[in-house]
Amino acid sequence: MNIDENAFSSYSNTMTEESCFATTHNNNETSICRVIGHKKKYVAFFTGDMDAAAKMYELCQEYPYLSGVRFVESLVSVFIDGLIGFFFARKHREDEAKWTNLGQEAIQALRKWVKSSEWNFSNKLYLLEAEFYFLREDDERAMVCYQASIKAAREHRFVHEEGLAEEKTATYLLHKSRHDEAMRHFVNAKRCYAVWGAYTLVQRVEKAIAMLPSCTDTC
C-alpha cells in the first residue's frame, strides 16, 4: 500500500485516518490518537512537509508516551522530534530556543541510549549532532558527524536512515553553496530510498536534484 492509499479501506469504505482520529479523540482513546499522530508526523517529516511535521509534533504533546508503550515507537519519535527541532531552530525565529531545546533533549536521550546499543543508535546520534553543529555554524564538526552518520547507518544496514543522513548532508552542503558535493549526496539518498521502496521520497529527491545548477550523468 503506497503513501496515498487509505489503509482503513480494508475495514470500512467510509473510514479514513482523519475520521478515525476524530472519533478516537472524541472517545478519549489516547493510545490510538497517539499512534495516528506519530505516524502522520513521521510521514510528514520524510516527505518534506516540515510545517505539517511540526504541527503533528505539537498535537502529539497531548498524547504523551506512557510506561507501557512500545519502546521502539518512543525511540523513533524522539529522534524525529530532534531533527524537527533543529530544522526550525535554523529559521532563527522568536521560538528558536524552544526548537533548539527539543533538539538538544533528543541528543541527550540518544547519548544515553547509545551506551546500551551503539548498533541501533550511533547513526541517529551522529545525525542529530551534525544538525546541532549546522545550527551553530561549526562546519568542521558538522561534516565529521554527517559522514559518521552515513557510515554507521550503512554498516548497520539501516538503509532508510542512510538515505536520510545522505539527504541531510546534501541539504547542508547546498546551504554552503557546495553544489557538486550536494549532488553526490542527493544521488546517494535517492539510491537508498529506492532500495527502501520509498518511491515518493525518490521523486522528492529527484525534484531537489533537478533544481541544482547542474546535473551529472550519475543522476
Side-chain angles (χ1 to χ4, degrees), residues 154-207:
R154 182 185 304 122
E155 291 178 348
H156 301 167
R157 299 191 294 277
F158 298 136
V159 68
H160 61 304
E161 290 176 355
E162 181 185 350
L164 177 60
E166 290 278 13
E167 185 179 1
K168 287 294 186 181
T169 305
T171 301
Y172 168 77
L173 292 167
L174 195 59
H175 178 76
K176 298 296 180 180
S177 298
R178 294 159 63 176
H179 295 157
D180 290 343
E181 294 173 83
M183 174 71 72
R184 289 195 294 272
H185 287 284
F186 273 131
V187 170
N188 290 341
K190 186 177 78 168
R191 172 186 54 79
C192 291
Y193 289 148
V195 172
W196 191 28
Y199 298 111
T200 297
L201 305 192
V202 170
Q203 293 171 359
R204 180 172 57 74
V205 173
E206 285 176 342
K207 291 179 181 178

Side-chain angles (χ1 to χ4, degrees), residues 127-144:
L127 188 55
L128 285 167
E129 290 177 333
E131 292 285 278
F132 171 75
Y133 291 129
F134 183 0
L135 174 65
R136 292 292 185 251
E137 298 185 358
D138 188 334
D139 296 341
E140 183 176 353
R141 289 183 178 179
M143 278 307 301
V144 167

Side-chain angles (χ1 to χ4, degrees), residues 19-30:
S19 67
C20 180
F21 181 84
T23 300
T24 54
H25 176 76
N26 291 336
N27 294 337
N28 200 31
E29 298 178 77
T30 58

Side-chain angles (χ1 to χ4, degrees), residues 35-134:
V35 169
I36 294 175
H38 284 284
K39 176 261 182 184
K40 290 171 72 70
K41 177 181 68 177
Y42 190 82
V43 170
F45 172 81
F46 265 100
T47 55
D49 189 347
M50 297 302 291
D51 287 332
K55 180 179 178 181
M56 295 314 301
Y57 161 76
E58 299 285 7
L59 178 65
C60 289
Q61 299 312 295
E62 299 179 26
Y63 312 105
Y65 284 110
L66 304 176
S67 59
V69 76
R70 289 189 305 166
F71 193 45
V72 172
E73 181 183 325
S74 174
L75 299 177
V76 172
S77 185
V78 169
F79 173 52
I80 296 299
D81 288 350
L83 294 174
I84 292 171
F86 286 132
F87 175 88
F88 282 100
R90 290 198 300 272
K91 299 291 185 181
H92 298 300
R93 302 182 304 202
E94 66 277 1
D95 57 356
E96 179 178 347
K98 163 192 164 181
W99 293 113
T100 300
N101 288 338
L102 179 62
Q104 290 179 315
E105 287 171 2
I107 286 178
Q108 292 305 313
L110 266 294
R111 284 177 176 168
K112 177 181 178 181
W113 298 337
V114 79
K115 296 176 181 178
S116 299
S117 178
E118 184 177 352
W119 183 277
N120 286 322
F121 301 120
S122 60
N123 70 295
K124 299 173 181 65
L125 175 58
Y126 286 135
L127 188 55
L128 285 167
E129 290 177 333
E131 292 285 278
F132 171 75
Y133 291 129
F134 183 0

